[in-house]
Amino acid sequence: MQVLSAAEMQACDRLTTERFGVPSMQLMRNASAAVASFARAQFPDAKRVTVLCGRGNNGGDGMMTARLLADAGLTVTLLLLGSSDGLKGDAADAWRELQSARNCRIDAITTEGDLPQYSEALNADLIIDAVLGTGFKPPLQGLALAALKWVIGSRSPVLAIDLPSGWTADETRRRTDEPVFPADAVITFTAPKPAHVFSELTRRWDQPVVVAPIGSPNEAIISELRIEWTGSAQNLFHTPRKADANKGNFGHVLVVGGSFGSAGGKAGAPIMTSLRAGTGLVTAAVPSPALTVVSSIAPELMTWPLKANDAGQASAENLAPESLAALTKGITVLVIGPGLGQSDDTAKFCIGLLESTTMPVVIDADALNILAGSPGMLSALTKEGRIVVLTPHPGEMGRLAGISTIDVQEDRLNVARKFAVENRATLVLKGARTLIAHPDGRVAVNTTGNPGMAKGGSGDLLTGLVAGLLAQYKEDPARAVEAAVFLHGAAADFAVRDTDERTLLATDSLAKFSRAFRFRSRTDRGYVWLQGMPSENSAAKRSREEAV
């Protein structure tokens, strides 16, 4: 799913009407039907609804939504912010149609001083924000700003049409300093805008941000942003495996990492990386002192003992040609870094292993820091077109790029894109809204995941998923990486339902991988959930239908 700028979305609407013959009024009707349906499904107990409308097309969507909800038997209050005189185009037509609605009180508020007269409207079961939409340019002012201050005093949930009023559609920051309407759910149309995938539009991270189709053909959805949504890659693994499949069809991943010595160790990291990604075979190559710990976790996991140095880390002695040949024979994807350590001897082994192999590689954790200390190494690895995937957190990204962590976080999109293009690598920049930047300049944004993932082991799980899907879908490595990031966050979102953000462990997410693989973000009504999850019943129903 492409992400469109505000200007591109407006162009899409024009193209839909002018070239493909869908009247703009029909688009508005479709949008309002989607909002009304979503409102009733998401807020089923809402009987009294207040709709706040601006004078533009976003307000027109709100007017038509109000009429549909009123016709369905809900008690609706619609407040137009501004005079109805001078309404234009589709919004004017929507206003005229609204006059015949039943169960709907309609008022126009022309001055800020009028708002206190409608305090009872704040006690509704649901408030729908249809004040400002994609075309808004900050700052919020006048009646719209007054309405914001008025709405903040309500305890009612707020559903935003298109965007919470005050947000700019092209925003790529997580937060804004401008005044914005609160939202407990957001529904937009056709395609997401940057703010839908980058920004914190809702009061909580698990509240829905949904895209509804309204009739624009795919040919009209055109963008030059080169930004996509990771959830589109779900289709990659929703195709059932062939009945005669065997383990050789799904690759062999070699995980190189781990340490175990008198000063402590990280034997758990390569274990976490090795489990439940659907790969045909997985071998964990770890220093021999860690072998007993690693081999005791899962009987399915194959192991390989590496010679260890005094620190209990992998030694450069493992670079002997015959040892390397035996270690890497038949390997589809190499993973290096989880729990590896960074001693000089281990760094030599890491660099030597990378230089002596050509298969796709996922570089994580300690191996990233070793790579950061070896200028020119990355360019050499990718020179011949080798697939190289890096999975840094912001601190590691700063070391790789030679900038501060603050600089990374202030411009994540451009930092990630520039680094991936210049180094011909695939970069997974972890964090809230993980980015996957590809060598060709495309960037995918992930919207699954939650704050409970800020725990040891989460990154190791992600690395394993990336490698596992690369091994299984080697013909489409870009989507394989995107799908892995999406799955990782979705599993954690399922897991946090059974626990909470503070006590969630990486192993809790691991236990939900199966549900994440089965999950569909598109519901049977065609809505795509960018953030949050549809009800269990809806997801299960769709899964059953697609299995038939």
Side-chain angles (χ1 to χ4, degrees):
M1 178 180 283
Q2 295 185 85
V3 176
L4 273 60
S5 69
E8 289 170 338
M9 190 67 249
Q10 291 167 348
C12 173
D13 289 342
R14 286 196 302 272
L15 195 60
T16 298
T17 296
E18 295 171 4
R19 180 179 298 180
F20 296 99
V22 182
S24 58
M25 194 63 178
Q26 186 60 48
L27 291 177
M28 183 173 283
R29 293 189 194 283
N30 294 346
S32 60
V35 176
S37 177
F38 179 76
R40 297 189 68 191
Q42 191 65 23
F43 303 95
D45 297 328
K47 306 301 180 187
R48 296 172 301 141
V49 179
T50 295
V51 184
L52 299 177
C53 293
R55 289 163 45 86
N57 282 344
N58 191 253
D61 291 340
M63 296 171 201
M64 286 197 167
T65 299
R67 180 180 180 182
L68 290 172
L69 293 177
D71 287 348
L74 279 67
T75 300
V76 179
T77 297
L78 183 137
L79 302 178
L80 175 66
L81 300 182
S83 171
S84 61
D85 295 338
L87 285 174
K88 299 178 181 178
D90 294 340
D93 291 340
W95 178 259
R96 283 191 292 271
E97 291 185 10
L98 179 65
Q99 307 310 306
S100 62
R102 300 167 296 166
N103 302 319
C104 187
R105 175 184 176 183
I106 307 168
D107 283 302
I109 298 174
T110 56
T111 67
E112 298 176 18
D114 292 340
L115 282 168
Q117 301 177 28
Y118 299 93
S119 57
E120 182 58 30
L122 294 178
N123 297 324
D125 302 317
L126 175 66
I127 295 174
I128 296 180
D129 167 17
V131 179
L132 299 165
T134 296
F136 167 73
K137 303 294 183 184
L140 206 62
Q141 54 188 341
L143 269 174
L145 180 59
L148 164 60
K149 297 175 181 177
W150 181 66
V151 166
I152 287 176
S154 173
R155 300 182 64 179
S156 303
V158 179
L159 167 60
I161 297 180
D162 196 20
L163 284 162
S165 294
W167 277 97
T168 55
D170 294 337
E171 184 61 78
T172 59
R173 296 174 299 171
R174 283 192 63 76
R175 299 180 181 89
T176 178
D177 298 327
E178 299 289 340
V180 294
F181 272 61
D184 299 284
V186 179
I187 181 168
T188 191
F189 315 110
T190 304
K193 275 67 75 180
H196 292 115
V197 295
F198 285 103
S199 304
E200 292 181 0
L201 301 181
T202 55
R203 291 191 242 221
R204 296 196 319 268
W205 59 264
D206 59 343
Q207 293 177 308
V209 176
V210 173
V211 180
I214 59 170
S216 295
N218 290 334
E219 295 84 353
I221 305 172
I222 303 169
S223 177
E224 296 183 359
L225 294 181
R226 309 206 76 193
I227 300 174
E228 299 176 356
W229 175 58
T230 58
S232 301
Q234 290 175 87
N235 292 337
L236 192 68
F237 54 79
H238 283 166
T239 302
R241 289 181 170 181
K242 295 180 179 179
D244 61 349
N246 63 75
K247 62 187 177 185
N249 300 136
F250 307 117
H252 187 169
V253 172
L254 173 64
V255 179
V256 179
S259 58
F260 198 85
S262 58
K266 296 180 180 178
I271 298 172
M272 300 289 285
T273 303
S274 302
L275 301 175
R276 290 193 185 277
T279 318
L281 295 168
V282 181
T283 295
V286 299
S288 53
L291 195 63
T292 301
V293 175
V294 173
S295 62
S296 67
I297 298 301
E300 300 89 348
L301 179 61
M302 299 186 295
T303 55
W304 188 281
L306 297 173
K307 293 180 180 179
N309 55 29
D310 292 341
Q313 300 174 8
S315 167
E317 293 181 44
N318 295 289
L319 293 175
E322 63 277 10
S323 297
L324 281 182
L327 175 64
T328 59
K329 182 180 180 180
I331 297 302
T332 310
V333 175
L334 169 65
V335 176
I336 187 165
L340 184 68
Q342 299 180 52
S343 68
D344 291 343
D345 188 37
T346 302
K348 183 178 179 180
F349 166 67
C350 176
I351 292 172
L353 180 58
L354 289 171
E355 289 179 332
S356 63
T357 53
T358 59
M359 75 280 288
V361 60
V362 182
I363 303 175
D364 185 32
D366 290 323
L368 289 172
N369 293 321
I370 292 171
L371 191 64
S374 305
M377 176 73 180
L378 180 56
S379 295
L381 292 177
T382 60
K383 185 177 181 180
E384 302 299 326
R386 182 181 189 180
I387 296 172
V388 176
V389 182
L390 312 177
T391 59
H393 58 57
E396 292 164 340
M397 183 71 247
R399 289 188 284 276
L400 286 167
I403 59 179
S404 71
T405 304
I406 293 175
D407 289 337
V408 172
Q409 292 296 76
E410 287 183 346
D411 196 14
R412 286 170 56 87
L413 175 61
N414 290 318
V415 166
R417 175 177 272 159
K418 181 174 183 288
F419 187 90
V421 171
E422 289 182 349
N423 291 281
R424 301 183 296 274
T426 298
L427 182 77
V428 178
L429 179 54
K430 294 184 288 195
R433 297 298 193 252
T434 291
L435 303 179
I436 301 91
H438 297 290
D440 63 0
R442 291 181 300 111
V443 177
V445 187
N446 188 54
T447 52
T448 59
N450 60 76
M453 298 170 71
K455 307 275 175 52
S458 287
D460 301 315
L461 287 181
L462 174 59
T463 297
L465 271 174
V466 169
L469 267 66
L470 275 175
Q472 295 168 71
Y473 304 102
K474 48 186 177 292
E475 73 286 350
D476 198 349
R479 284 209 302 160
V481 176
E482 293 171 13
V485 175
F486 180 87
L487 281 167
H488 181 239
D493 288 343
F494 279 120
V496 83
R497 290 180 170 186
D498 299 332
T499 174
D500 63 79
E501 299 168 21
R502 293 169 181 80
T503 62
L504 182 72
L505 296 176
T507 48
D508 297 328
S509 297
L510 177 63
K512 301 297 183 182
F513 274 14
S514 177
R515 290 180 70 184
F517 270 96
R518 298 194 307 270
F519 172 62
R520 265 77 167 169
S521 59
R522 185 184 298 274
T523 69
D524 51 355
R525 294 182 177 181
Y527 301 155
V528 176
W529 290 61
L530 302 177
Q531 178 182 295
M533 288 187 169
S535 68
E536 295 281 356
N537 290 339
S538 176
K541 178 176 180 289
R542 182 166 177 79
S543 294
R544 289 195 300 271
E545 289 173 348
E546 294 188 357
V548 174

